[in-house]
Amino acid sequence: MAEFVQTFMGSETLRDIIIVVNLLLFTVTFLLFLVLLFHKLHVERRAKKLEQLREAYLADLAHRFYDPSHPVHPPKTYLEYESLGNVVATMLVNVSGEMAESIRRCVRELGVDTYYREMLGSRRWVRRFVAVEKLGYFRFPELKPVFESVLAGERDSRIIPKAVWALSLIAQPSDLSTINRVLRDPFFMSGKFNEYIYTNIIRSFREHEQDALLVEVLDELMADLELPVLLKRDIIQACGAEMFFPAQKLVLSCFQRFHDVAEMRIACIRSLERFSAVDEEWLLTECLRDPDWRIRGVAAKSAHLYSPNIIPPLRNLLYDESYHVRINSALALAKMGETGLDALVEETQSDDRFVRDVSQYVLKRLIYAS
């Protein structure tokens, strides 16, 4: 009997424990639900407030451009500064000239730049990142020391690329050493990032009508033995991407100077293609005979820009061992008018099966496209 009572009391205790645990779980779940609900309402309210502020500041700034005496409500709260900063950044990306200068004057008057400069001292990397980004959009020359101090003292790898970007937007000759010190690290970002940074630098020099000075500076960089060749390649590609025509002679000299570096020669070919440098047919002809299939392929891709004299070597490349070279050569022939098309038609009867296939493929593409 005693054992039965003890077992019964034990089961009662276990049931009470289970009930208490269930009640606690229910309470915690309910509280979490309330927290999520209030957080959702807070986020929605904040987003609505930000949108209202954004529309108000956008209207005020647009009105002020036509009426300089129109007042703009000075920001006081965090949300107001964030809204105005977002509006200003968006407008500066899409406008230029007098309107951009008007917006920048407004930024100074309202102390928006001061707000973001103070934010650089935040312990949170996200806030520092936003501060560098917004200050970069403002493109104030006096902010150079700020970006340089960020590059010198910042340790967060997510902020350093943004600081390099911001400095590149207002770069002058004295700033390139600072930028290159970061870009020369082979483990920092990528070649495309380097190219993007130098397109910004080219634009900055062009805005100050310093094309000739930039060519001199780039020539010095190409001669710098300590600067990695791959970074030089990215600079050359930036010249082509930005259509910086004054650098054509520099590109040609780099083609000769780095004759043993396939990546540099490819960058030079692509840049000359963007320049439409058809008077440099000797260079293309040389590249079509290059031992490196990558160079032959890139040269064949831009061969349609040149005279019909280039058709015979292009036709020979239809027999190349590399598929990429063959297809680029066939596509170039198809773009060279009747003479090129006639060559493709004749090659459809070739004894080489691969030549027949690539010729027929390109011709069928033309038929379907028409």
Side-chain angles (χ1 to χ4, degrees):
M1 185 66 181
E3 292 179 359
F4 176 77
V5 172
Q6 186 176 2
T7 303
F8 178 78
M9 291 183 64
S11 62
E12 287 289 330
T13 304
L14 179 61
R15 186 177 64 181
D16 292 342
I17 292 174
I18 292 174
I19 292 173
V20 170
V21 170
N22 285 335
L23 288 174
L24 287 174
L25 289 174
F26 173 79
T27 304
V28 171
T29 304
F30 182 71
L31 290 175
L32 287 174
F33 172 76
L34 290 179
V35 170
L36 291 174
L37 179 62
F38 283 112
H39 180 264
K40 178 178 180 295
L41 294 174
H42 170 72
V43 170
E44 290 178 348
R45 183 180 178 184
R46 183 178 182 276
K48 185 177 180 180
K49 181 65 175 178
L50 281 171
E51 182 61 22
Q52 291 174 347
L53 290 169
R54 190 191 71 82
E55 292 179 356
Y57 279 123
L58 185 60
D60 284 343
L61 290 173
H63 192 173
R64 183 162 185 171
F65 177 69
Y66 300 103
D67 181 11
S69 63
H70 179 76
V72 178
H73 173 64
K76 296 180 180 179
T77 65
Y78 166 77
L79 285 181
E80 290 178 349
Y81 273 110
E82 287 300 308
S83 299
L84 182 55
N86 291 334
V87 169
V88 167
T90 303
M91 294 184 73
L92 289 175
V93 169
N94 295 288
V95 301
S96 59
E98 182 56 35
M99 190 169 188
E101 290 302 319
S102 175
I103 295 171
R104 291 190 180 97
R105 285 195 296 269
C106 190
V107 167
R108 287 192 174 97
E109 292 172 10
L110 299 176
V112 183
D113 55 332
T114 303
Y115 168 78
Y116 284 111
R117 290 181 69 165
E118 293 174 353
M119 191 186 291
L120 287 173
S122 173
R123 293 183 178 181
R124 297 171 55 190
W125 77 266
V126 174
R127 289 180 63 81
R128 299 199 305 276
F129 181 92
V130 171
V132 172
E133 183 179 50
K134 291 298 190 297
L135 291 172
Y137 281 122
F138 300 158
R139 300 178 66 181
F140 292 149
E142 63 268 23
L143 291 176
K144 285 183 183 181
V146 174
F147 300 138
E148 290 172 353
S149 66
V150 171
L151 290 174
E154 183 61 59
R155 293 295 176 263
D156 196 301
S157 60
R158 292 164 291 194
I159 299 175
I160 294 174
K162 187 59 66 173
V164 173
W165 165 80
L167 184 58
S168 71
L169 296 173
I170 53 176
Q172 289 297 292
S174 58
D175 304 311
L176 298 191
S177 59
T178 303
I179 294 173
N180 289 336
R181 187 177 68 249
V182 181
L183 298 185
R184 69 195 312 156
D185 184 351
F187 300 103
F188 179 78
M189 301 303 285
S190 65
K192 272 298 175 184
F193 180 82
N194 297 343
E195 179 184 335
Y196 172 58
I197 292 299
Y198 263 89
T199 58
N200 290 337
I201 293 172
I202 293 171
R203 291 172 189 170
S204 176
F205 275 77
R206 279 182 154 179
E207 287 178 2
H208 295 87
E209 298 181 352
Q210 296 176 326
D211 289 15
L213 175 61
L214 178 58
V215 172
E216 293 178 7
V217 171
L218 295 182
D219 190 39
E220 292 176 2
L221 291 179
M222 294 300 114
D224 186 354
L225 298 178
E226 296 183 357
L227 199 67
V229 175
L230 292 182
L231 178 54
K232 296 177 181 179
R233 174 206 61 186
D234 301 333
I235 295 172
I236 293 297
Q237 290 188 159
C239 291
E242 198 56 28
M243 303 290 285
F244 187 50
F245 295 107
Q248 180 171 331
K249 291 183 178 180
L250 174 64
V251 174
L252 287 170
S253 68
C254 287
F255 182 85
Q256 297 293 344
R257 184 183 301 174
F258 302 97
H259 197 271
D260 297 330
V261 184
E263 289 82 0
M264 177 61 85
R265 301 186 77 192
I266 290 171
C268 292
I269 297 167
R270 287 174 173 165
S271 294
L272 291 172
E273 177 187 356
R274 297 297 301 272
F275 296 157
S276 297
V278 294
D279 52 336
E280 307 299 339
E281 192 168 299
W282 64 270
L283 183 146
L284 184 79
T285 304
E286 177 182 334
C287 291
L288 292 176
R289 298 193 301 265
D290 197 276
D292 194 316
W293 69 268
R294 295 172 297 172
I295 296 177
R296 296 197 304 274
V298 172
K301 190 174 183 179
S302 60
H304 65 280
L305 298 173
Y306 295 81
S307 73
N309 296 330
I310 214 71
I311 289 179
L314 266 184
R315 193 166 176 175
N316 291 334
L317 287 181
L318 293 176
Y319 294 81
D320 197 273
E321 60 184 10
S322 169
Y323 168 78
H324 298 284
V325 177
R326 294 197 302 271
I327 189 65
N328 284 348
S329 301
L331 291 171
L333 286 170
K335 297 176 183 178
M336 299 190 71
E338 292 185 6
T339 309
L341 289 173
D342 290 342
L344 277 179
V345 172
E346 291 177 11
E347 293 298 345
T348 58
Q349 306 301 319
S350 172
D351 295 333
D352 190 313
R353 177 171 61 87
F354 296 108
V355 176
R356 293 198 307 269
D357 289 346
V358 75
S359 301
Q360 291 171 0
Y361 169 73
V362 171
L363 290 172
K364 286 178 181 178
R365 278 188 54 177
L366 291 176
I367 294 173
Y368 292 147
S370 60

